[in-house]
Amino acid sequence: MPVPTTGSEIRQAYLDFFKSKNHKIVPSSSLVPENDPTLLLSNAGMNQFKPYFLGTVPFPHAVPYAASCQKCFRTGDLERVGYTARHHTFFEMLGNFSFGGYFKKEAITWAWEFVTGVLKLDPSRLWVTVFKDDDEAIELWKKTAGLPAERIVRMGEESNFWTMGPTGPCGPCSEIYVDLAPEKGATRNFEEEAESGRYLEIWNLVFTQFDRQEDGTLKPLPKPNIDTGMGLERVASVMQKVSSNFETDLLSPLMAAVAKVGNLSDRADGSQTYTSLKVISDHLRATTFLIADGVLPSNEGRGYVLRRILRRAIRHGKLLGLDKPFLSQLTLEVGKLMGGVYPEVVDRKEHIVNVVKAEEERFYETLAAGTERLMEKIGDLKKANATLLSGEDAFTLYDTFGFPLDITKEILKEKGLSVDEKGFQTAMEGQKEKARSAWKGSGDAVLPALYKELASKIPATQFKGYEKTKDLGQVLQIVRVKDRKHEPVEKLQEGEYGFVILSQSPFYAEKGGQVGDKGVIQGFNSAEVSWADVLDTQMVSDTLIGHWCFMKRGKLAAGQKVEATVEESERRAIMRNHTATHLLHAALRKVLGAHVGQAGSYVGPDRLRFDFTHFEGLKPGQLLQIESLVNQRILDNIEVTKQEMSFDEAKKKGALAFFSEKYGERVRVVDVPGFSTELCGGTHVGRTGDIGLFKVTSESSVASGVRRIEAVTGEGSLGRVHQEEETLKEIAQLLKSSDAELKTKVQALLEEVKSKDRELVSLKSKLAGSLVDEVLGKKKDVKGVSLVVARTDELDAEGMRQLIDALKAKMGSGVIVLGSGKHDQIAFIAGVTKDLTAKVKAGDIVKEVAKITGGGGGGRPDLAQAGGKDASKVDEALRQVPLIVERAVS
């Protein structure tokens, strides 16, 4: 059997080897974790097997062994990627796992068999490290592998003891190293030589055998586990006898493709060019896989990780002289290289190209301005003999120009400078604090402490709103709110506001985008009937539902029996909109792709709003398709089921869960069979037909990579239809047209307007042409440069530009500056013929001139435009032009 040397051969040989050892070969999971919403991105082979390690779910195979080649992503060493031979963001991790089956003996035996028997690595070049107290592993390495004691190195807890956290599963680990320079002879200090690169770690075997207790003691697990990880890129570098992962066949084709775009050499010469090629190749691969797995660029979470690496790659492209978008088409090279193993990068290639292209174009617009601003700051630092950019300046670059801190740090590093990262974080927190303080609430800042204390003293409110909208309960606590102060009281008197907390309630508290219910609370006693309007419902703690009340009649007292009634028509409207939101989410994923994810929502009685991740605006045809798909499911009148189950059961059912959402062991699943399954605690209709008509009212951008759809249902959609019909009738009356002829009438009017516009442009052109000789008569010589300065209030900006073009043509060589200040519409436009732009720049002229009138502007060296605020200073500003030109020429 030939020795595997290519990346593909090594990957397959590993999986085949462990298949022969009765392991279930499991495909790689997505980079977006499917069963762990607390994890940002899959960063190890064991991620997808976490439930089996924890014993919460049995492994679905006769023997509890598994092996995989997992897509992984890590950002901890992002700044080092490209500057070393081994660091990556995206990489492939080979791993074999045992869930309470085999343990150290088999793990060590099979690892040794694979590296020496399959990879045929020379045993004399292999070293292992073990945890200092793991005598069992040391004896197994001696006995099984025949390793001499001098090539078994005891290491401390920091490097050779794995933990999941301060408490819980943990255990020692053992790492296999390859000596890359055996010709150097005997080793004096293994740790130092491993650090210097002589010894390369290729495989880590983790023996999860303990459960760490609160007091730090290690309690043996009844069923210990095995978790191993072998970096494919590292092993490939050993098998292909190259000094860098980037020289292996897993990455060198991408290096060559990037170099070809820039007409560059991809020779491993250690130059800045080679470093940039490595950065781009790594990030190109990572970008392709992240987008294929549904991630989109944004300013939060996974999307921010993607945006960071995309922009870092673009910046290194600029260093290579690539001044136009280049990454999007290169993603196809990743598909050619890896599509055979990971078909998703080919199946979704058009989507990947579109996302990368949109992000590139967006960033190129801001990169130039941001770089120019940073270079100005670097110039200031050098003038002051300083080496540290302030955190405030770095934050301004981030906040104003979209410059990630990573890029700022990298550019500074190339110049021998650094940034005040603590100052940056302080500025970031300052902005967040300003945003928080700008919010005007009703004293909610005091809610956490007060209500947390109450929650520890009184039982949780039982929510009954799934089954009913009216229920009996008892007042557990009243908190009066007066002058924004929250005060626990025994009674809420007539005319007072406050939170009323009940033992049980049908009122839904605002959560998950759904607004809180409104209604009434009635109290009964022998003397009177008390009546409180419930204006809103909030979770005032994790366990207490607070009814925000205005005491309309009588009083409510702690301990009193009451009847709580939800305003039913509003609740029904909310239910229609909430279920419609689920249908909309599912329709978006079906029409646009699985990358669509919820980014926020509002579900009220009047409308619904759904924010979602997508890289571009929706085309009219797509919007119509989505709307039609939702309405089709409504017409199908499908039963909407709601079930409570374990989180793992919900995941098996295919329920959508969202990163950053916190889910307990038990979750509620809302299912429209065959179309939509989501984890949701909100209130929903019984059948989709209850929703009525679904009508989209708008589609827009919220932020980069996030779109928003607003829609109405039921009575809201009927009202929308009536409103649109009424508007059309009013337009028809204004145009003295029937409904049937309205479209034709509007088209005719638009053609007429276009015709008039063309006539107007022609007249403006003639007017500008008629002024050429008059303005040219004002020409003067400034240090050998022909200069024309004129005030042209009769022209708009377009007319001024036409006049400048005409003057340039007549003059051949010269500088023209025109100003206008009619009706406070201030404009300055400067034109410079090409032969003079090396000395005189139009942008510099208009900046100085506009400043006099309180304005600003800029543009190209040959043509620039600016505005102003004070029309009374236009003449004064124009008088300064000869001096500005004279300084420039001198």
Side-chain angles (χ1 to χ4, degrees):
M1 183 178 174
V3 178
T5 55
T6 68
S8 294
E9 288 170 351
I10 297 166
R11 187 192 296 113
Q12 194 58 51
Y14 183 91
L15 297 176
D16 288 345
F17 175 81
F18 281 99
K19 186 176 183 180
S20 74
K21 306 298 183 186
N22 207 19
H23 284 60
K24 172 73 173 176
I25 307 304
V26 180
S28 171
S29 65
S30 168
L31 284 172
V32 177
E34 296 171 4
N35 60 3
D36 190 353
T38 64
L39 186 64
L40 186 67
L41 292 163
S42 295
N43 58 12
M46 64 83 66
N47 291 157
Q48 68 168 315
F49 302 115
K50 193 173 174 182
Y52 311 132
F53 279 121
L54 295 174
T56 56
V57 178
F59 184 60
H61 186 50
V63 180
Y65 310 163
S68 69
C69 183
Q70 174 65 42
K71 301 178 291 187
C72 295
F73 194 102
R74 295 179 186 172
T75 58
D77 293 308
L78 179 61
E79 292 168 36
R80 301 184 70 185
V81 173
Y83 291 89
T84 71
R86 312 285 177 201
H87 284 93
H88 300 291
T89 50
F90 173 90
F91 59 95
E92 295 179 80
M93 184 68 82
L94 299 164
N96 56 286
F97 311 91
S98 169
F99 317 113
Y102 66 81
F103 198 48
K104 287 182 189 177
K105 180 181 178 182
E106 293 86 351
I108 289 172
T109 300
W110 290 337
W112 187 255
E113 183 182 343
F114 182 76
V115 295
T116 60
V118 178
L119 298 183
K120 304 294 183 184
L121 292 176
D122 182 353
S124 68
R125 293 176 59 197
L126 300 176
W127 289 61
V128 298
T129 62
V130 296
F131 178 56
K132 59 185 177 64
D133 298 333
D134 194 358
D135 295 330
E136 180 187 4
I138 291 172
E139 290 306 312
L140 283 167
W141 281 115
K142 288 179 180 177
K143 183 179 177 181
T144 302
L147 274 173
E150 61 268 22
R151 283 196 276 129
I152 303 173
V153 184
R154 291 180 187 263
M155 302 285 275
E157 187 169 335
E158 185 177 331
S159 62
N160 277 63
F161 196 90
W162 177 85
T163 62
M164 189 177 282
T167 61
C170 58
C173 57
S174 184
E175 298 169 322
I176 301 176
Y177 284 78
V178 178
D179 186 352
L180 299 180
E183 68 278 2
K184 289 185 177 180
T187 296
R188 293 182 180 179
N189 186 308
F190 175 82
E191 287 188 59
E192 287 182 4
E193 295 199 50
E195 187 68 29
S196 69
R198 173 175 175 177
Y199 296 99
L200 178 67
E201 183 231 318
I202 59 168
W203 204 344
N204 186 15
L205 315 178
V206 178
F207 312 125
T208 313
Q209 64 186 98
F210 300 115
D211 183 5
R212 179 168 274 161
Q213 305 300 298
E214 292 284 353
D215 62 2
T217 57
L218 298 176
K219 181 181 176 182
L221 287 169
K223 289 185 177 181
N225 301 312
I226 289 293
D227 164 19
T228 85
M230 173 189 272
L232 178 59
E233 291 82 1
R234 288 184 171 217
V235 180
S237 73
V238 173
M239 299 306 295
Q240 294 169 29
K241 298 180 174 61
V242 292
S243 59
S244 163
N245 294 359
F246 292 91
E247 295 174 64
T248 69
D249 67 330
L250 293 167
L251 279 156
S252 61
L254 299 182
M255 296 277 287
V258 177
K260 185 178 179 182
V261 170
N263 196 25
L264 303 162
S265 167
D266 63 341
R267 187 166 55 86
D269 56 6
S271 65
Q272 177 59 54
T273 294
Y274 189 64
T275 295
S276 291
L277 288 174
K278 288 195 289 182
V279 170
I280 295 167
S281 300
D282 174 275
H283 293 2
L284 173 66
R285 192 168 69 152
T287 291
T288 303
F289 275 91
L290 282 173
I291 297 171
D293 280 349
V295 180
L296 287 175
S298 72
N299 289 328
E300 293 182 330
R302 300 175 182 120
Y304 182 60
V305 172
L306 173 58
R307 175 160 286 164
R308 282 172 68 192
I309 61 169
L310 253 172
R311 292 187 168 186
R312 189 169 186 254
I314 293 167
R315 219 278 296 180
H316 276 273
K318 292 278 284 183
L319 292 178
L320 298 179
L322 302 175
D323 293 322
K324 295 179 181 178
F326 66 96
L327 278 175
S328 60
Q329 289 303 310
L330 285 172
T331 60
L332 299 174
E333 299 298 323
V334 179
K336 292 175 188 175
L337 185 64
M338 306 186 75
V341 184
Y342 304 105
E344 62 269 23
V345 295
V346 175
D347 295 344
R348 300 169 189 165
K349 64 183 180 182
E350 289 182 5
H351 169 66
I352 295 166
V353 168
N354 288 335
V355 172
V356 175
K357 186 179 179 183
E359 183 68 11
E360 278 191 287
E361 290 172 348
R362 187 177 294 116
F363 189 49
Y364 267 98
E365 291 173 4
T366 61
L367 184 60
T371 303
E372 182 181 348
R373 178 64 178 268
L374 179 56
M375 289 306 174
E376 288 175 6
K377 293 296 177 184
I378 288 172
D380 293 342
L381 288 174
K382 290 186 174 179
K383 285 177 187 175
N385 288 323
T387 60
L388 187 70
L389 181 74
S390 75
E392 191 66 45
D393 285 338
F395 180 72
T396 299
L397 285 165
Y398 166 80
D399 195 39
T400 306
F401 298 99
F403 243 56
L405 182 62
D406 307 327
I407 291 182
T408 298
K409 286 166 63 177
E410 199 160 356
I411 293 174
L412 290 170
K413 183 181 177 183
E414 290 163 5
K415 305 291 183 183
L417 305 171
S418 58
V419 63
D420 177 9
E421 292 188 53
K422 285 186 178 178
F424 176 87
Q425 295 302 333
T426 300
M428 177 80 85
E429 286 303 315
Q431 188 198 52
K432 289 179 181 177
E433 187 56 43
K434 284 179 185 175
R436 284 192 290 267
S437 63
W439 183 80
K440 303 296 182 186
S442 58
D444 294 298
V446 300
L447 284 178
L450 169 62
Y451 292 95
K452 189 175 181 180
E453 183 183 342
L454 291 176
S456 67
K457 296 177 180 177
I458 58 179
T461 307
Q462 300 299 310
F463 177 60
K464 299 292 185 179
Y466 292 139
E467 304 90 23
K468 55 183 78 173
T469 55
K470 180 184 289 189
D471 197 25
L472 297 175
Q474 184 178 19
V475 177
L476 297 180
Q477 181 70 56
I478 296 171
V479 178
R480 183 177 62 204
V481 180
K482 187 175 182 181
D483 298 327
R484 301 188 70 182
K485 291 180 180 178
H486 294 234
E487 179 187 6
V489 293
E490 286 297 313
K491 295 178 181 179
L492 192 66
Q493 303 284 359
E494 192 169 310
E496 292 182 332
Y497 287 89
F499 279 111
V500 176
I501 299 168
L502 305 179
S503 57
Q504 59 188 46
S505 171
F507 282 77
Y508 182 86
E510 181 179 347
K511 193 165 46 176
Q514 179 175 328
V515 300
D517 281 329
K518 296 178 182 178
V520 296
I521 295 176
Q522 279 183 284
F524 304 94
N525 58 39
S526 56
E528 63 178 355
V529 175
S530 52
W531 182 288
D533 284 339
V534 179
L535 308 176
D536 193 11
T537 311
Q538 298 285 330
M539 291 299 299
V540 292
S541 77
D542 289 341
T543 59
L544 300 178
I545 296 176
H547 305 77
W548 175 242
C549 293
F550 172 68
M551 202 66 219
K552 196 165 187 177
R553 178 179 172 184
K555 58 182 177 289
L556 286 179
Q560 186 176 353
K561 299 286 186 182
V562 295
E563 182 179 63
T565 306
V566 175
E567 211 294 282
E568 199 163 351
S569 63
E570 280 210 357
R571 166 68 82 81
R572 282 199 300 267
I574 291 168
M575 289 162 66
R576 286 194 290 266
N577 284 335
H578 203 154
T579 306
T581 301
H582 284 218
L583 297 181
L584 172 60
H585 189 187
L588 284 163
R589 289 171 67 87
K590 289 185 189 312
V591 174
L592 304 179
H595 65 277
V596 168
Q598 182 172 332
S601 68
Y602 166 85
V603 178
D606 55 333
R607 62 190 169 91
L608 66 91
R609 183 187 73 223
F610 188 73
D611 298 344
F612 59 97
T613 52
H614 190 55
F615 56 90
E616 64 180 359
L618 272 62
K619 299 174 179 65
Q622 290 175 319
L623 206 54
L624 182 61
Q625 190 180 353
I626 290 160
E627 189 177 76
S628 297
L629 194 52
V630 172
N631 280 308
Q632 184 57 57
R633 295 293 83 82
I634 291 170
L635 287 171
D636 290 342
N637 199 25
I638 306 165
E639 182 181 4
V640 181
T641 64
K642 305 97 179 174
Q643 292 177 281
E644 192 174 292
M645 60 186 72
S646 72
F647 181 79
D648 290 323
E649 286 176 316
K651 289 303 297 174
K652 282 182 183 177
K653 193 176 173 68
L656 288 177
F658 307 103
F659 174 73
S660 80
E661 287 288 332
K662 293 181 181 179
Y663 299 105
E665 290 184 10
R666 303 290 295 174
V667 294
R668 186 166 180 265
V669 177
V670 176
D671 187 23
V672 180
F675 194 69
S676 165
T677 308
E678 290 193 28
L679 304 187
C680 181
T683 59
H684 290 267
V685 298
R687 305 188 73 89
T688 57
D690 298 339
I691 296 170
L693 176 67
F694 170 83
K695 181 66 182 168
V696 172
T697 57
S698 70
E699 190 275 332
S700 61
S701 171
V702 180
S704 177
V706 180
R707 308 295 301 178
R708 170 174 291 173
I709 282 180
E710 297 195 61
V712 287
T713 65
E715 292 174 355
S717 57
L718 183 63
R720 177 79 178 190
V721 170
H722 288 161
Q723 181 186 14
E724 290 180 354
E725 284 180 343
E726 190 61 34
T727 300
L728 285 172
K729 284 178 182 176
E730 288 176 3
I731 293 170
Q733 287 173 359
L734 287 170
L735 297 178
K736 295 181 173 58
S737 166
S738 66
D739 291 354
E741 296 172 338
L742 185 58
K743 182 179 176 181
T744 306
K745 188 88 171 181
V746 170
Q747 286 174 332
L749 275 173
L750 287 173
E751 282 301 319
E752 188 178 337
V753 169
K754 285 180 184 177
S755 175
K756 299 294 184 187
D757 283 344
R758 286 192 292 268
E759 286 180 26
L760 188 59
V761 168
S762 176
L763 288 170
K764 285 180 179 179
S765 179
K766 288 177 181 178
L767 177 59
S770 70
L771 293 172
V772 170
D773 291 336
E774 180 186 335
V775 173
L776 198 56
K778 299 178 181 180
K779 183 175 71 172
K780 61 172 70 173
D781 184 274
V782 177
K783 295 279 187 178
V785 171
S786 294
L787 172 65
V788 171
V789 181
R791 180 161 179 166
T792 53
D793 286 357
E794 60 269 59
L795 297 178
D796 61 9
E798 179 58 33
M800 292 164 75
R801 281 191 290 270
Q802 289 179 354
L803 179 54
I804 283 177
D805 288 341
L807 288 167
K808 278 184 181 180
K810 276 221 169 189
M811 292 168 67
S813 175
V815 176
I816 305 117
V817 181
L818 305 179
S820 171
K822 190 176 181 181
H823 306 306
D824 288 335
Q825 296 294 313
I826 302 168
F828 297 100
I829 300 183
V832 180
T833 54
K834 295 284 186 184
D835 60 311
L836 297 175
T837 53
K839 290 182 179 181
V840 186
K841 291 181 169 49
D844 293 342
I845 296 173
V846 294
K847 276 181 188 175
E848 287 198 52
V849 170
K851 195 183 294 182
I852 296 168
T853 64
R860 304 193 310 266
D862 63 322
L863 186 67
Q865 181 173 339
K869 296 177 181 177
D870 189 348
S872 68
K873 293 186 176 180
V874 170
D875 290 333
E876 180 188 339
L878 292 174
R879 284 196 293 270
Q880 298 301 311
V881 173
L883 294 173
I884 296 168
V885 173
E886 186 176 341
R887 283 199 304 271
V889 173
S890 300

